[in-house]
Amino acid sequence: MKICYYPGCTLKNQAKRLDDCARLSAEALGVTMEEIPEWQCCGGVYPMAKDEIATKLSSVRALDYAKHHGGTLLTLCSACHNVIKRVNNDMATEKSIRDKVNNYMRLDERYEGETKVIHYLEMLKDIVGFDNIKKAVKNPVNKKIGAYYGCLLLRPSNVMAFDNPENPTILEDFISAIGGTPVKYPFRNECCGAYVSLTNKSLTEQKSKKILESAAAVGAELVLTACPLCYYNLKKNGGDNVVYFTELLAKALGVTE
Amino acid sequence: MQRIGVFICHCGTNIAATVNVEKVTEALRKEPCVVFADNYQYMCSENGQQLIKNKIKEYNLTGIVVCACSPRMHEGTFRKTAEAAGLNPYMVEIANIREQCSWIHKDIDEATEKAVILGRTAIAKLTLNTPLTAGETGVTKRALVIGGGIAGIQCALDIADAGYEVDIVEKRPTIGGRMSQLDKTFPTLDCSACILTPKMVDCAQSEKIKLFTYSEVEEVKGFVGNFKVKIKKKARYVDETKCTGCGVCMANCPSKKGLNAFNMNLNTRPAIYIPFAQAIPNVAVIDPEQCIKLKTGKCGLCQMKCGVGAIDYTQKDEYVDREYGAIVVATGFKPIDLTNFNEYGYADNKDVITSLELERLMNAAGPTKGVLLRPSDNEHPKVITFIQCVGSRDVSGCGKPYCSKICCMYTAKHAMLIREKYPDTEVHVFYIDVRTPGKNYDEFYRRAVEQYGVDYIKGMVGKVYNENGKLMVQGSNLLDNTQVVIPSDLVVLATAIEPDPSVRDIASKLTISIDTNNFLTEAHAKLKPVECATAGVFLAGVCQGPKDVPETVSQASAAASKVIGLLAKDKLKGNPCVAHSDEMMCTGCSQCARVCPYGAITYEDKTFGRGANATVRRVAVVNPAVCQGCGACTVTCPSGAMDLHGFSSSQILKEIDFICKK
Amino acid sequence: MENFDIEYIKEISRTDVRKCMKCGKCSGRCPAFNDMDIKPHQFVTLLGQGKFDVLLKSKAIFSCLSCMACVERCPRGVAPANVIEAVRDTVERMQNGNAIKAEDIPPIVDDLIPQQLLVSAYRKYRK
């Protein structure tokens, strides 16, 4: 099956490996990720203010394209997923934003949040199925792995509707599916320090180190993430064992070295 | 031609400040059939009622319209007034110009105009009223209490004390309810079992009280004074009449891994068990999901060991039909599920517990024999942190919007008892507000702080996490504007309470209305706090709203007094505003019977015409004693055969005409 | 030209601060609490009190991680993070409010820095 895919800037550069492994794995599992044409950067952070319209347009363009090409938009980077899903929610529920965006964009047909936004993990869980992944695994991971969710996939949960925001399980289920042993640690849904790392390195350092300590305390040999910024912050602060979840998937499926 | 009198009430300033009552009087005086109209400051007062009586006689009135508050408030009052003056009570109509007019409008002209319209509409309806006479029915002199907690127990004891029979239906194997799980009770710290057990024993010994434990209400029919209830007695697999409660079966049962619900699943019990030592009845019960014999056919040890031959694996559910004059619902509560509150780590940490679990950990009959040991490693906790308002006052969708009312007091109780028994323990309490209205309640809480040195922190906890075996409680301290992290050994969550889930089923069986939080709705928040909109059904305890033991007992006694008042009557006057079917128009289609919530409609074959022209048709017949006059059948009837006395279709159409008239 | 005042902040924040019951759970949860001069619960209170100048002077608007933990856990459906962002946007939209300049960036870029970080920081700290 084919799904419209929004990669985002970082996945074309620093996080190319997150993207490459995802595509190879998806193909092996029977899903083709069709990169949508002429996508634009989502902006990295969701603009919360009511009058922020221009900063939402790139997301709406991608969403509108997907609406006419299968109705589903697949994301992989946690930040893109967070931004696009929240913008989509605005388009469905916030009249003032919906009207302003539509008035500006002059689409043939108004966009009102019709597209379904799914994250790659949700694709694995709901379309492929973790059981089928388990069957397709050639090289089980055989390691104790700590899932790191961070903020963007989970919160705000009333919009993201991704998992229980305080007790998520999807990454742990994923780890089990590829033959690893998930280990839960209390800081798996805490913030790594995010974009503040540009201006306040000590705050990010503190937050990232706490997460890594928390994972180490339960014996995690690897820490999994879906976010290039989390990856960077954790790596910078001693997280040599941090990997993208798709890297492990590709390895388990035998599609990469 | 009717002679109608119109009486307009000022209700002090409630109506008169927004409605020009003089103008309304003038306008309504000109309506057809109206021979008298006047206004008065308080029509419901003795003087007001006397005015009505005098004018009925003076003007020889055939009917009256009172423009006043909601008919739910004083329709009954004015009907009695009219009756005392010799008028049929159903020749009274109320125009609600308070709740539906003066209270919701600001503009005097608009409100006055609307009051006139409401008044003339009531007059128009009254012109079509006919005198109605209520039938009478007998009263079954027995009450049913659903739920055997402290509310049900107190209520049953009071009813029995007045000399009436009363049955308690309790779904668990023993009566006692939540109170039996408590260790001590605030504000006097009596041992819960010490004050509850004698009442449980009284229930068992009373000649008037019959206990149906491990039983549920299967079906309810009938109406006030004459309820017919089918009770399902679930199979205990133990003969209640033979079992002596000796406990030999429990000791010999090889299947010991059942979760002990009485101890909040903190320890296990055998498949055959007596919930606790003081259980009433003191009779064992077998958990069929856990019993090896019932699941596989092999075992049978308890039967072999039982000295009195009480074990019966072939027992089946039994059904018992009973009749009652009144029903009390006292189905109680449970703590909410904490799935949505994992920031407190309940799912991941054994030493994060609910307050009800703490009750069991502190109770001599609990899993630790009353020694406070934490569940993970059976060590004495040295630092204990309490978190209040877990799931209460939460409108985010995760919890309950209401205050659970009991948590501030029981948390103060727990903190105090722990400091008393284990003075080397450090106790912290995170709170948003401490709410302690009640006699000696605030003094009780202050004692926890001032005498026992409990550390109350104004703030809320954002996260509880395990770090090197310590529970780190991270929260705000709003008074010094800091974020604190308290390394704790035990965390206790003052978990919100909600009505027991069984209440939904009971509510639909008894047609009791239920609010968005599953609390049963009383007939009037202030003046009918234990009655229901359904006649003959009363409420007691937390099923109606959060309350503590003293309040529950008061409400249970109040409900009992209402039941006694009802059972003391030999005859009950019915409601004459019931449905009736015109057999000439009825096609026997059965649609009315399908929508009737009370089962008041049956069908019979009737012969129409004579001799060769005679035909037999199936027609609807309404039992006026069962009909509650809801009107569902009248709007459903496709042929227009069904109509309601006092609210006929022609009356309602005429009301609509007069509302719409320019 | 916008009229920057307390009503402006209320409007763009898309949250109703009157719903706050002053429990402090937001500040109990906040991971950046110790780096903030004004705490999350105080942002909500100060907006309710109309203390425009106090809000504008806050340094905490540049410490907030927008991690949404405060929004997620608020029992009353208030969004403190939205208030903080609304204040930050206001400061930046007013003259000279930007917290980073283009020339600040090159010296702090390293080989591994993800594009996402630069884009996000730009969005958060400049208007």
Side-chain angles (χ1 to χ4, degrees):
Chain A
M1 88 175 276
K2 289 179 181 176
I3 306 180
C4 285
Y5 168 54
Y6 179 99
C9 334
T10 317
L11 271 63
K12 291 288 174 186
N13 294 284
Q14 290 292 9
K16 202 160 180 330
R17 190 137 178 85
L18 172 61
D19 177 76
D20 289 344
C21 293
R23 291 182 197 240
L24 288 170
S25 303
E27 278 301 335
L29 294 167
V31 177
T32 302
M33 296 156 65
E34 296 234 306
E35 185 171 330
I36 60 173
E38 295 179 16
W39 54 266
Q40 300 155 329
C41 173
C42 70
V45 284
Y46 167 76
M48 289 182 255
K50 191 179 180 178
D51 57 352
E52 282 283 340
I53 302 298
T55 42
K56 294 189 169 97
L57 295 176
S58 61
S59 296
V60 178
R61 285 192 188 103
L63 287 161
D64 184 61
Y65 180 86
K67 174 184 161 183
H68 297 287
H69 294 83
T72 302
L73 184 60
L74 179 69
T75 59
L76 176 54
C77 165
S78 304
C80 300
H81 181 66
N82 186 277
V83 173
I84 295 174
K85 187 134 189 184
R86 288 170 81 180
V87 169
N88 201 35
N89 178 63
D90 283 342
M91 293 303 289
T93 61
E94 282 268 351
K95 189 174 182 308
S96 71
I97 292 174
R98 178 169 62 225
D99 287 348
K100 280 182 189 153
V101 169
N102 276 299
N103 288 346
Y104 180 81
M105 291 191 45
R106 297 181 177 278
L107 302 165
D108 293 338
E109 182 187 302
R110 275 168 67 89
Y111 182 76
E112 304 196 329
E114 294 91 340
T115 299
K116 190 176 174 201
V117 183
I118 62 166
H119 187 265
Y120 192 88
L121 277 166
E122 293 171 311
M123 185 269 286
L124 293 180
K125 171 171 155 266
D126 300 325
I127 296 175
V128 178
F130 286 145
D131 284 348
N132 289 327
I133 293 176
K134 202 174 232 168
K135 284 178 209 152
V137 165
K138 297 203 177 97
N139 316 308
V141 179
N142 279 333
K143 276 196 164 88
K144 280 176 143 184
I145 305 170
Y148 176 58
Y149 288 86
C151 327
L152 296 168
L153 289 176
L154 298 171
R155 294 188 291 265
S157 66
N158 59 342
V159 177
M160 300 311 291
F162 186 80
D163 207 335
N164 181 329
E166 294 293 345
N167 194 14
T169 53
I170 186 169
L171 269 170
E172 279 79 5
D173 293 343
F174 164 79
I175 292 165
S176 300
I178 58 168
T181 307
V183 286
K184 271 183 165 183
Y185 58 100
F187 277 67
R188 68 208 165 104
N189 64 340
E190 288 296 312
C191 182
C192 66
Y195 52 83
V196 171
S197 61
L198 202 64
T199 52
N200 185 347
K201 290 212 185 312
S202 74
L203 177 55
T204 310
E205 184 183 340
Q206 229 181 55
K207 295 297 136 192
S208 291
K209 283 199 165 148
K210 188 87 189 174
I211 291 159
L212 293 166
E213 280 164 20
S214 176
V218 295
E221 297 168 75
L222 293 174
V223 173
L224 274 197
T225 177
C227 176
L229 182 49
C230 298
Y231 183 90
Y232 172 76
N233 283 338
L234 293 176
K235 281 263 182 208
K236 272 267 172 189
N237 291 293
D240 297 331
N241 58 345
V242 179
V243 291
Y244 289 122
F245 77 101
T246 55
E247 290 185 88
L248 282 194
L249 174 62
K251 220 181 250 177
L253 294 174
V255 293
T256 56
E257 285 303 300
Chain B
M1 187 78 167
Q2 286 214 33
R3 297 174 57 79
I4 294 174
V6 182
F7 300 87
I8 296 132
C9 179
H10 300 192
C11 197
T13 53
N14 271 305
I15 293 170
T18 328
V19 169
N20 185 332
V21 289
E22 287 300 339
K23 273 195 181 166
V24 175
T25 312
E26 287 312 310
L28 295 181
R29 188 173 286 146
K30 295 185 191 120
E31 287 295 312
C33 300
V34 173
V35 296
F36 173 82
D38 200 0
N39 57 70
Y40 187 72
Q41 202 174 9
Y42 290 104
M43 210 53 92
C44 61
S45 68
E46 205 179 328
N47 288 344
Q49 292 188 52
Q50 194 56 50
L51 172 79
I52 295 174
K53 285 183 205 165
N54 293 343
K55 297 301 169 190
I56 289 172
K57 286 177 187 151
E58 192 182 328
Y59 286 86
N60 200 17
L61 300 178
T62 59
I64 62 166
V65 168
V66 186
C67 301
C69 53
S70 162
R72 294 193 64 151
M73 201 72 200
H74 280 312
E75 187 177 58
T77 311
F78 294 121
R79 280 188 172 156
K80 273 188 204 133
T81 311
E83 197 171 16
L87 211 56
N88 181 283
Y90 293 88
M91 296 304 288
V92 174
E93 286 297 328
I94 308 288
N96 180 357
I97 60 165
R98 192 177 74 171
E99 285 84 343
Q100 292 178 355
C101 185
S102 68
W103 276 1
I104 50 169
H105 291 289
K106 285 189 179 129
D107 186 277
I108 293 184
D109 292 338
E110 274 179 12
T112 304
E113 190 190 348
K114 184 169 173 184
V116 171
I117 293 171
L118 291 170
R120 78 178 184 215
T121 302
I123 295 166
K125 185 187 176 202
L126 180 58
T127 58
L128 296 180
N129 276 24
T130 48
L132 299 173
T133 310
E136 284 187 336
T137 52
V139 178
T140 306
K141 306 269 176 180
R142 184 192 297 132
L144 167 65
V145 174
I146 304 171
I150 181 60
I153 289 170
Q154 182 65 44
C155 191
L157 287 173
D158 286 358
I159 295 169
D161 194 40
Y164 296 104
E165 285 184 27
V166 51
D167 293 355
I168 297 178
V169 171
E170 165 58 53
K171 68 174 177 177
R172 295 190 184 84
T174 169
I175 59 168
R178 291 289 171 206
M179 188 175 169
S180 65
Q181 293 179 285
L182 306 182
D183 182 43
K184 302 278 192 296
T185 51
F186 60 77
T188 44
L189 298 180
D190 317 72
C191 146
S192 187
C194 309
I195 58 176
L196 177 65
T197 312
K199 284 186 184 283
M200 291 166 63
V201 173
D202 286 349
C203 283
Q205 291 177 347
S206 167
E207 285 179 3
K208 296 285 181 189
I209 298 176
K210 190 168 167 60
L211 297 178
F212 291 91
T213 52
Y214 209 47
S215 299
E216 284 167 21
V217 170
E218 182 74 11
E219 184 184 77
V220 181
K221 284 184 170 167
F223 50 97
V224 55
N226 297 277
F227 292 106
K228 292 178 175 54
V229 178
K230 190 185 282 299
I231 298 166
K232 175 182 171 183
K233 292 184 71 179
K234 292 180 278 187
R236 281 183 107 100
Y237 306 102
V238 174
D239 188 335
E240 275 187 70
T241 59
K242 291 182 185 161
C243 176
T244 59
C246 69
V248 167
C249 53
M250 295 169 67
N252 284 285
C253 178
S255 173
K256 292 195 184 303
K257 297 236 167 101
L259 288 176
N260 187 341
F262 180 73
N263 280 335
M264 299 308 291
N265 299 346
L266 288 166
N267 66 350
T268 55
R269 53 145 179 81
I272 185 163
Y273 66 101
I274 298 172
F276 54 97
Q278 303 91 334
I280 299 284
N282 190 20
V283 170
V285 57
I286 295 180
D287 178 349
E289 301 295 314
Q290 192 194 339
C291 172
I292 299 166
K293 174 76 180 177
L294 288 171
K295 274 165 59 184
T296 68
K298 292 172 196 143
C299 188
L301 258 176
C302 54
Q303 196 172 44
M304 277 186 269
K305 298 285 181 180
C306 179
V308 292
I311 314 292
D312 176 6
Y313 301 117
T314 65
Q315 219 178 59
K316 296 270 179 296
D317 293 349
E318 271 177 57
Y319 293 88
V320 184
D321 291 309
R322 300 278 284 176
E323 295 187 356
Y324 302 102
I327 299 176
V328 179
V329 184
T331 45
F333 72 96
K334 72 180 235 329
I336 64 164
D337 177 70
L338 290 171
T339 309
N340 290 338
F341 292 94
N342 213 52
E343 66 265 36
Y344 302 126
Y346 181 75
D348 301 325
N349 299 289
K350 277 186 163 180
D351 297 331
V352 178
I353 61 172
T354 67
S355 299
L356 199 49
E357 288 165 11
L358 181 67
E359 293 282 350
R360 298 315 303 150
L361 287 181
M362 292 174 70
N363 188 270
T368 54
K369 309 268 178 284
V371 184
L372 182 57
L373 303 172
R374 62 182 204 166
S376 66
D377 55 7
N378 283 324
E379 291 290 325
H380 274 288
K382 293 287 175 212
V383 180
I384 302 177
T385 303
F386 289 84
I387 306 172
Q388 297 212 139
C389 290
V390 173
S392 296
R393 307 169 71 192
D394 185 312
V395 295
S396 70
C398 293
K400 301 291 174 186
Y402 50 84
C403 167
S404 293
K405 203 174 184 181
I406 56 176
C407 326
C408 285
M409 282 298 285
Y410 70 58
T411 297
K413 171 189 80 177
H414 289 152
M416 200 184 296
L417 289 170
I418 288 169
R419 292 280 299 158
E420 163 84 29
K421 210 165 165 189
Y422 309 99
D424 60 336
T425 309
E426 198 179 302
V427 177
H428 308 275
V429 179
F430 279 93
Y431 72 97
I432 304 174
D433 300 294
V434 178
R435 296 179 165 177
T436 51
K439 188 170 155 188
N440 294 324
Y441 280 19
D442 202 63
E443 296 90 326
F444 180 86
Y445 147 62
R446 289 311 304 168
R447 231 165 74 214
V449 179
E450 293 165 26
Q451 191 178 331
Y452 288 93
V454 177
D455 173 36
Y456 270 74
I457 303 167
K458 179 160 176 59
M460 199 52 184
V461 170
K463 191 176 178 88
V464 176
Y465 56 94
N466 192 318
E467 195 169 274
N468 306 320
K470 281 275 180 193
L471 292 167
M472 311 302 275
V473 183
Q474 175 190 312
S476 55
N477 182 339
L478 296 178
L479 292 184
D480 65 9
N481 210 22
T482 55
Q483 192 179 68
V484 291
V485 179
I486 300 176
S488 310
D489 302 313
L490 185 71
V491 174
V492 186
L493 309 178
T495 309
I497 57 172
E498 65 181 345
D500 190 271
S502 62
V503 80
R504 288 201 72 85
D505 179 52
I506 296 286
S508 76
K509 282 178 177 142
L510 289 166
T511 59
I512 308 173
S513 66
I514 199 162
D515 70 16
T516 49
N517 298 311
N518 281 353
F519 288 113
L520 299 178
T521 312
E522 62 283 356
H524 188 283
K526 284 155 272 182
L527 301 179
K528 289 185 174 178
V530 298
E531 292 97 320
C532 272
T534 307
V537 179
F538 305 92
L539 307 174
V542 181
C543 67
Q544 180 262 340
K547 52 181 72 68
D548 58 17
V549 174
E551 257 189 287
T552 295
V553 171
S554 309
Q555 199 192 18
S557 287
S561 84
K562 292 287 169 188
V563 169
I564 294 162
L566 175 57
L567 298 188
K569 294 189 176 105
D570 290 325
K571 293 280 179 198
L572 289 177
K573 266 209 169 151
N575 168 19
C577 298
V578 292
H580 57 100
S581 173
D582 182 341
E583 58 190 28
M584 296 307 287
M585 287 162 78
C586 176
T587 60
C589 72
S590 297
Q591 293 199 31
C592 54
R594 244 173 262 140
V595 297
C596 177
Y598 306 99
I601 300 172
T602 50
Y603 291 88
E604 55 186 48
D605 291 326
K606 266 203 126 168
T607 310
F608 293 87
R610 278 185 193 171
N613 292 332
T615 49
V616 177
R617 276 201 293 120
R618 182 170 177 270
V619 293
V621 180
V622 179
N623 179 349
V626 182
C627 175
Q628 299 291 306
C630 73
C633 56
T634 62
V635 292
T636 308
C637 178
S639 58
M642 204 50 100
D643 211 350
L644 205 56
H645 284 306
F647 294 94
S648 68
S649 301
S650 58
Q651 284 176 306
I652 289 166
L653 287 171
K654 189 148 190 189
E655 286 187 284
I656 295 169
D657 282 347
F658 274 72
I659 283 178
C660 300
K661 198 175 84 172
K662 278 282 162 201
Chain C
M1 194 58 203
E2 302 280 1
N3 187 19
F4 296 111
D5 59 8
I6 200 78
E7 290 309 316
Y8 176 78
I9 298 179
K10 275 187 188 162
E11 168 70 15
I12 65 170
S13 72
R14 292 157 81 183
T15 194
D16 182 359
V17 294
R18 281 177 299 186
K19 287 186 183 165
C20 174
M21 65 169 169
K22 317 223 182 294
C23 69
K25 194 163 177 175
C26 48
S27 285
R29 182 61 199 264
C30 179
F33 184 96
N34 291 327
D35 276 62
M36 294 180 129
D37 53 355
I38 296 180
K39 312 301 186 188
H41 71 279
Q42 291 178 297
F43 273 96
V44 175
T45 302
L46 290 165
L47 180 56
Q49 292 171 336
K51 301 246 171 93
F52 186 67
D53 296 337
V54 180
L55 287 169
L56 252 50
K57 282 193 199 111
S58 165
K59 295 278 172 285
I61 52 175
F62 303 113
S63 306
C64 170
L65 303 163
S66 301
C67 76
M68 295 290 133
C70 56
V71 180
E72 187 64 51
R73 295 331 306 175
C74 176
R76 307 300 296 182
V78 182
N82 285 28
V83 176
I84 297 172
E85 177 133 321
V87 175
R88 182 172 54 230
D89 284 350
T90 306
V91 167
E92 289 165 7
R93 287 170 188 186
M94 292 167 79
Q95 282 185 331
N96 301 323
N98 287 335
I100 50 172
K101 297 189 205 78
E103 55 268 34
D104 295 343
I105 303 298
I108 45 178
V109 169
D110 60 38
D111 291 346
L112 293 172
I113 207 158
Q115 287 67 24
Q116 179 192 353
L117 171 53
L118 298 172
V119 175
S120 304
Y122 244 70
R123 276 276 164 91
K124 287 284 177 187
Y125 296 146
R126 275 188 78 89
K127 287 290 163 199

